[in-house]
Amino acid sequence: MTDMQSAQPAAQPQLAPASPSSDGLVPGNTLITATPDEGRVLAVRMAQLVIKFTQPDAKVRETIRPGYSTNAADLIAITHTVALEFATIAAANHYWRPVATLPQS
């Protein structure tokens, strides 16, 4: 094996696409919202969809919910996920600044 071959990362498993019956991982297929509040609601929904996507078995989700719903560290981790989704949405919306205030390129 050459040095170049050993430096190559192992192939990552591919996630299955969202099922056609779901509303996808991005509801409405857009990150654009009229207000920051709408963006925050979208971020929460997207975080919920990611959990459903990664654990599609509703019975399993119901079984494990009591454990994380009373664990402070798990709840903080959930809010971190929502914050990351919101940051992405905010950036897509140019932080809700009017176009006139955006830097000119």
Side-chain angles (χ1 to χ4, degrees), residues 33-98:
T33 63
T35 66
D37 191 55
E38 287 179 14
R40 188 74 167 163
V41 170
L42 177 59
V44 170
R45 181 67 184 134
M46 287 173 58
Q48 291 170 330
L49 290 170
V50 167
I51 291 167
K52 187 175 181 181
F53 183 78
T54 57
Q55 180 43 265
D57 188 323
K59 287 185 181 191
V60 171
R61 288 192 314 270
E62 290 170 15
T63 300
I64 63 176
R65 183 180 172 119
Y68 71 77
S69 68
T70 58
N71 182 304
D74 289 342
L75 294 172
I76 290 168
I78 292 166
T79 62
H80 181 75
T81 301
V82 172
L84 289 172
E85 296 286 13
F86 184 67
T88 302
I89 293 163
N93 284 280
H94 303 289
Y95 304 93
W96 294 276
R97 289 180 287 187

